[in-house]
Amino acid sequence: MSPSSPDETRLRLRAVLDAQFAVIVAVLLIAAAVGGGLVYATHVDPGTETRERTVSSFTVETAYNHSAEVTEPNSVFEVGTALDDRDTYFTRVAPVLDVDVETTYAAASASNVDVRLDSVLVVRSVGEDGNVVYWSDRRTLASETVSDVEPGETATASFALNSSEVDATAAEIEEELGASPGETETFVVTDVALEGAINGEQTSYARTIELGLDHGGDTYSVSDPGVQSDTSERTEPVTVERSYGPLRSIGGPILLLVGLVGAGGLAYARRERDLALTPAERDYLAYSDDRSEFAEWITTFRLPASVHERPEAEAESLRDLVDFAIDNDTGVVDDPETGAYHAVAGDFVYTYRPPSPPAVGDLEEGEDGDAPDVDDLASVDEAGSIEDGTGVEGGIGAEDGIGAEDAADESADAATGDGPGSDDARRE
């Protein structure tokens, strides 16, 4: 198992679950309780609420339709041509503007509905900000009442405006007053009134719309407000079962399921599988953390055999070895030949041997599935690996071709002081 492997991830997850077991279970149980409450309130007893329901509605629409007939010969338009719904008309060839005010309504049912249309021409002088009116002249253009108008039927009132006469009226008033303060405005105001039994109830409706006129000498412009629409609704309160969106309807059961399954799974895992890490597993995670933290200080290559002939000092942890290497201005070597970490300083080689991954046994079984025999154990080198019994890799006698038995004898002589190298060993 290498650092950041799936097995190591599982170890770290176990460590977190064991350390924070009570907190995690509490959070899961709270989530389950919240989910249960949402499930009950959403699916079992959602309750009721009062809403406004539309019982009936009707819509009234009013619009101006305007046109000017060409009355004077010219090279562009034939006499009698109707210029329809334009923004600008020509005063000389089509001075009279014909206007129709049209009102219609839509309703489920209606009876005895009367529509009244009153149109007035307003000519006035106002200040720059429009708040001050110096004078105003009002003249009735049309007053029409249409009775028994059915839904969808159109009530119409028509009138005509001579742009030259309108302009002359304004000039005449200013001449009579002897002054022309402010700015002259000309527009048509139409009051729309509707009354009758609509959707089973007596209904009254009123609305005012305006059609602007701007005389520019040889032309005059029309500011048409377009279709003016109003909708009126009649509502009543109704009690209905409360409804919720998909987030609450689906999220509640999911939250309940996740909380219960999660808490139950954690309790089972702790009871049956023991989430707590063994000392070997904790040691391995500590080593893995050190390996990741000090990766920039560690290089990987094979050290020569002569390095391993030096006296060796054992480090308790990889962190200790790296700290020692930094203090002594040397590097840490990850030697794949020995499976250990080394730092060479002075006459010594300083070594840290990492713990075996917990998922892997310390020794392999023999071909028959039995534990390794004594001869196999004799061939275990200092790094803890098992060789094929022909010699010890990197150990005494490996370079000289000495067999395992001879190497063991020489080691014993050196340890007891009887061998040829005993004096040297004691001096070292």
Side-chain angles (χ1 to χ4, degrees):
M1 180 176 65
S2 61
S4 73
S5 69
D7 288 337
E8 180 183 327
T9 301
R10 284 193 288 271
L11 284 180
R12 295 189 183 279
L13 178 60
R14 280 176 52 201
V16 172
L17 293 178
D18 181 60
Q20 304 296 331
F21 179 82
V23 175
I24 296 174
V25 169
V27 170
L28 289 172
L29 291 178
I30 292 174
V34 173
L38 290 176
V39 169
Y40 181 83
T42 303
H43 301 283
V44 179
D45 184 16
T48 60
E49 63 180 349
T50 301
R51 295 180 180 177
E52 293 294 325
R53 182 179 65 182
T54 300
V55 178
S56 63
S57 67
F58 74 97
T59 301
V60 181
E61 293 183 348
T62 304
Y64 289 105
N65 290 322
H66 47 86
S67 64
E69 183 180 349
V70 177
T71 59
E72 298 296 329
N74 62 88
S75 60
V76 179
F77 304 107
E78 293 184 3
V79 175
T81 300
L83 307 178
D84 298 324
D85 296 321
R86 294 192 169 204
D87 293 335
T88 302
Y89 295 91
F90 301 98
T91 305
R92 181 175 298 177
V93 301
V96 179
L97 183 69
D98 296 315
V99 181
D100 294 330
V101 185
E102 297 181 347
T103 297
T104 184
Y105 72 96
S109 63
S111 62
N112 301 322
V113 176
D114 296 335
V115 178
R116 182 176 179 83
L117 301 169
D118 295 318
S119 297
V120 175
L121 174 65
V122 179
V123 181
R124 68 181 186 179
S125 178
V126 298
E128 292 183 359
D129 56 4
N131 294 326
V132 179
V133 179
Y134 296 108
W135 57 265
S136 177
D137 180 75
R138 299 172 64 91
R139 301 184 182 186
T140 300
L141 296 174
S143 182
E144 188 78 28
T145 299
V146 183
S147 301
D148 295 328
V149 181
E150 297 293 330
E153 185 180 349
T154 301
T156 304
S158 302
F159 56 86
L161 288 172
N162 189 309
S163 61
S164 299
E165 292 180 2
V166 172
D167 190 42
T169 298
E172 181 181 349
I173 294 174
E174 290 177 353
E175 185 177 353
E176 290 177 355
L177 296 176
S180 57
E183 182 179 352
T184 302
E185 290 182 345
T186 304
F187 55 92
V188 175
V189 176
T190 300
D191 294 325
V192 182
L194 181 148
E195 188 170 354
I198 298 177
N199 295 324
E201 286 194 348
Q202 192 64 28
T203 303
S204 296
Y205 167 85
R207 172 71 183 268
T208 298
I209 62 174
E210 293 184 4
L211 178 72
L213 298 172
D214 185 11
H215 198 282
D218 294 332
T219 62
Y220 58 95
S221 300
V222 178
S223 299
D224 193 334
V227 178
Q228 302 297 296
S229 179
D230 293 302
T231 299
S232 178
E233 295 182 341
R234 184 168 65 88
T235 62
E236 65 179 14
V238 293
T239 301
V240 298
E241 185 178 89
R242 192 183 302 274
S243 60
Y244 301 94
L247 180 62
R248 178 165 174 168
S249 300
I250 300 175
I254 292 177
L255 196 60
L256 174 62
L257 181 64
V258 170
L260 292 178
V261 172
L266 276 179
Y268 174 82
R270 190 178 198 187
R271 185 179 67 253
E272 299 295 333
R273 298 184 178 274
D274 190 11
L275 295 175
L277 299 183
T278 64
E281 290 171 335
R282 286 195 295 270
D283 290 345
Y284 184 79
L285 288 184
Y287 152 69
S288 180
D289 290 339
D290 290 346
R291 184 65 174 83
S292 299
E293 181 179 353
F294 300 112
E296 61 179 314
W297 296 96
I298 301 171
T299 56
T300 301
F301 56 84
R302 288 180 174 83
L303 292 172
S306 59
V307 171
H308 298 293
E309 295 176 358
R310 301 184 182 200
E312 183 179 82
E314 292 276 349
E316 289 293 330
S317 67
L318 182 59
R319 177 182 296 270
D320 292 340
L321 185 63
V322 172
D323 288 342
F324 173 80
I326 294 173
D327 292 340
N328 288 271
D329 196 21
T330 186
V332 176
V333 176
D334 179 4
D335 191 346
E337 192 72 24
T338 63
Y341 297 88
H342 307 282
V344 181
D347 296 332
F348 288 83
V349 56
Y350 299 86
T351 302
Y352 168 71
R353 290 182 174 82
S356 299
V360 180
D362 292 333
L363 298 175
E364 300 291 342
E365 292 183 349
E367 292 183 1
D368 298 331
D370 299 328
D373 56 24
V374 177
D375 292 337
D376 290 332
L377 293 175
S379 63
V380 180
D381 65 2
E382 293 180 352
S385 62
I386 301 177
E387 304 300 331
D388 57 5
T390 58
V392 180
E393 183 181 354
I396 303 173
E399 270 186 23
D400 302 329
I402 303 174
E405 240 176 38
D406 296 334
D409 292 340
E410 286 188 12
S411 296
D413 292 340
T416 58
D418 298 332
S422 59
D423 292 338
D424 295 336
R426 281 192 291 270
R427 282 195 297 270
E428 291 178 0

